[in-house]
Amino acid sequence: GIISIAVFPDKQTMVLSGPGVFNARLTLAKKDTRPDGSDEWNITNSQVFTKVNDFADTNKTHGIIDPYISPDGRHLFFVISGNIFAAHWNKEEGLFDNIVKLDGLDTELKKRYGQSNPWTEGPTSTVIDGEHLLIFHQASFWGGRIWGCKIEDFN
């Protein structure tokens, strides 16, 4: 089954993470309006996440979980094996690429919580006022913590 979702700013498109935690990959779903006026979400064969899914497959990682689309729709944040990654929208190719591990975030968390190795369970927490990303993570002996930063710091 699907383990996590994120809705694009257009409210017509979703990214789905699944099936299962260890094999989860990203899939696109689009909202269609039926003749009776009700809405229906349909999974598409879009190649939007091809490079992200290939990255996970190539690196033999745990699944991709907790996708989050930035409010401008240009950045995709996601978690693999407890680490946060970002991918940027490539308008010319029509997909997310330029995948980077957000090492600065891990470094900051380790500074704050000592030698513990935080396992990130976000960045799905929330965005406040379109500019602050709140991230939930678990540190080995500190329990769960919430950490926040400005989205522009990721650019």
Side-chain angles (χ1 to χ4, degrees):
I2 302 302
I3 57 172
S4 51
I5 65 167
V7 179
F8 279 73
D10 68 4
K11 307 286 191 248
Q12 304 296 309
T13 314
M14 265 192 304
V15 53
L16 310 171
S17 171
V21 174
F22 291 104
N23 299 314
R25 296 298 178 259
L26 301 181
T27 305
L28 194 72
K30 293 243 180 212
K31 184 164 65 170
D32 295 318
T33 303
R34 297 178 182 141
D36 68 2
S38 63
D39 291 328
E40 168 179 62
W41 288 92
N42 294 302
I43 293 179
T44 72
N45 285 330
S46 173
Q47 300 301 307
V48 171
F49 304 114
T50 300
K51 289 193 178 181
V52 175
N53 289 333
D54 288 349
F55 172 82
D57 290 339
T58 301
N59 291 292
K60 308 242 186 304
T61 64
H62 290 307
I64 304 169
I65 61 171
D66 296 336
Y68 179 80
I69 302 292
S70 65
D72 62 8
R74 296 185 312 179
H75 306 283
L76 166 69
F77 300 98
F78 54 94
V79 173
I80 298 176
S81 300
N83 297 299
I84 296 180
F85 292 82
H88 303 281
W89 179 247
N90 181 328
K91 186 176 180 180
E92 290 77 33
E93 292 189 38
L95 51 75
F96 285 98
D97 68 2
N98 191 23
I99 299 161
V100 294
K101 182 178 176 189
L102 300 179
D103 289 325
L105 184 57
D106 283 338
T107 301
E108 182 62 27
L109 291 171
K110 287 174 186 172
K111 259 197 295 187
R112 289 176 186 246
Y113 302 113
Q115 295 301 313
S116 64
N117 188 14
W119 178 274
T120 301
E121 297 289 350
T124 56
S125 297
T126 193
V127 168
I128 300 172
D129 297 329
E131 64 176 306
H132 291 90
L133 179 66
L134 297 181
I135 299 163
F136 175 77
H137 73 90
Q138 252 173 278
S140 58
F141 57 85
W142 288 93
R145 293 289 186 266
I146 294 175
W147 190 82
C149 60
K150 290 188 81 123
I151 289 175
E152 68 185 33
D153 294 339
F154 288 129
N155 293 337

